[in-house]
Structure formats: C-alpha cells, structure tokens
Amino acid sequence: MKNFSVRAVADGAIVTALTVVLLAAAAYVPALGMFSIFVSGIPFVYLIIKRGFRVSVISLVASMALLFALTGDIISGVFAGALSLLPSLVIGYCMKNRCRYYTTLLAGVITVLFGFLIEILMMNWLAGQNVILTVLDQSIQMVRGTLSAYMEALGDSGALSEVLCNGLE
C-alpha cells in the first residue's frame, strides 16, 4: 500500500471537515440548503487535482461516515455521497487528466444520473414500494383537490367551470 504524505492526509482531513460542515449546514440551516449542497463538492475537485484519486476516495468515505456520526442518519450520508460528492470526484478526475470539456460534462451528467438512480433504488428498497408512483399519485390527488375546491368556489359561473370539469375527468 502506498504511504501518503503528511500534507496529503492534512489536505484530506481539511476537505473532509469542510464538506461535513457544508452538508451539515444544508441539513440544519434551511436558508443554506441548496447552496451548501452544490458547493460541498468543490473541495473534492481541489483535492483530487492536487492529491490524487486515492486520497479523495478516502476523504469521501470519511465525509459520509462523519455526516452519519453527526446526524445519526446513515441515509443522509449515502445520499450526500451519491448526489453531490461522487460527481465532484468524477469531474475532478476528468480535470486532472485534462479531458476535453464535453467529455467532462458528459461524465458529470452520467454520474449525477447514477446518483439519482442510487437514491431512487434506496428509497424504493427502504419504503417497500415504488416511491415515484406514490409521489405522483399524491401530486395528482392534490391537484384534483385544488381544482375541485376551485370549481365549488366558481359555482355555476359558465364556460370556465365546464372546461375545468372536463379537465378533471
């Protein structure tokens, strides 16, 4: 096994700490949520360019483990790793190896789609049902409820209510 330099370990620890702070901020501070999720992968791009793939993967696993220890929820660590941190590793790897722009973009998009697939499969496995269909059914029921309430408020006001009634059927 290759020994890592003290600087590589220190950089990995700093990136791990920064990533955990950003992802914890996303979990506990609603105003920073989306911003923190997008920004949390940037330190990994730096780490993979400067220190290589092995140190970055170890730092990724440490980040997910620390996020689990901090939140007590293993799902948040896995989802954060799959959706925001894994694409940053792939993009950083492409940047370090000087891949063309479109190759880097395609690799990042494929990795994000892979992360979504992992998240959907885990949600289906944990819920014991198809989560996508459940969410779609709930959304359709909410729209129908809203439109029916709107229809009752309109009463018999003419053609608009007939168009909405036909749309509900």
Side-chain angles (χ1 to χ4, degrees):
M1 181 175 172
K2 179 182 174 185
N3 291 332
F4 299 115
S5 69
V6 174
R7 286 194 180 268
V9 172
D11 283 347
I14 290 169
V15 166
T16 299
L18 182 61
T19 302
V20 169
V21 166
L22 287 170
L23 290 174
Y28 294 118
V29 181
L32 297 176
M34 291 305 285
F35 175 75
S36 293
I37 288 172
F38 287 122
V39 173
S40 64
I42 294 174
F44 279 102
V45 174
Y46 160 78
L47 186 64
I48 199 167
I49 290 172
K50 187 157 183 166
R51 298 295 174 192
F53 192 72
R54 286 186 182 171
V55 175
S56 300
V57 170
I58 292 169
S59 183
L60 173 77
V61 172
S63 296
M64 291 181 357
L66 280 174
L67 191 62
F68 165 63
L70 184 65
T71 63
D73 181 19
I74 195 164
I75 303 301
S76 65
V78 172
F79 285 169
L83 289 177
S84 63
L85 303 180
L86 190 61
S88 65
L89 282 179
V90 170
I91 291 170
Y93 180 80
C94 289
M95 289 174 72
K96 180 178 178 147
N97 292 324
R98 300 186 190 274
C99 295
R100 293 183 7 200
Y101 172 76
Y102 290 112
T103 305
T104 303
L105 183 65
L106 181 64
V109 168
I110 289 172
T111 309
V112 168
L113 292 175
F114 180 71
F116 280 132
L117 179 66
I118 289 173
E119 182 176 352
I120 289 169
L121 290 175
M122 281 191 70
M123 287 172 38
N124 287 342
W125 177 65
L126 291 173
Q129 60 185 355
N130 193 340
V131 176
I132 295 175
L133 290 178
T134 304
V135 169
L136 286 175
D137 287 339
Q138 290 174 354
S139 298
I140 290 170
Q141 292 301 322
M142 286 190 327
V143 168
R144 283 187 177 158
T146 303
L147 286 177
S148 65
Y150 184 69
M151 291 298 302
E152 289 175 10
L154 280 178
D156 293 326
S157 66
L160 181 60
S161 63
E162 291 177 20
V163 170
L164 289 175
C165 282
N166 291 336
L168 284 174
E169 297 171 359

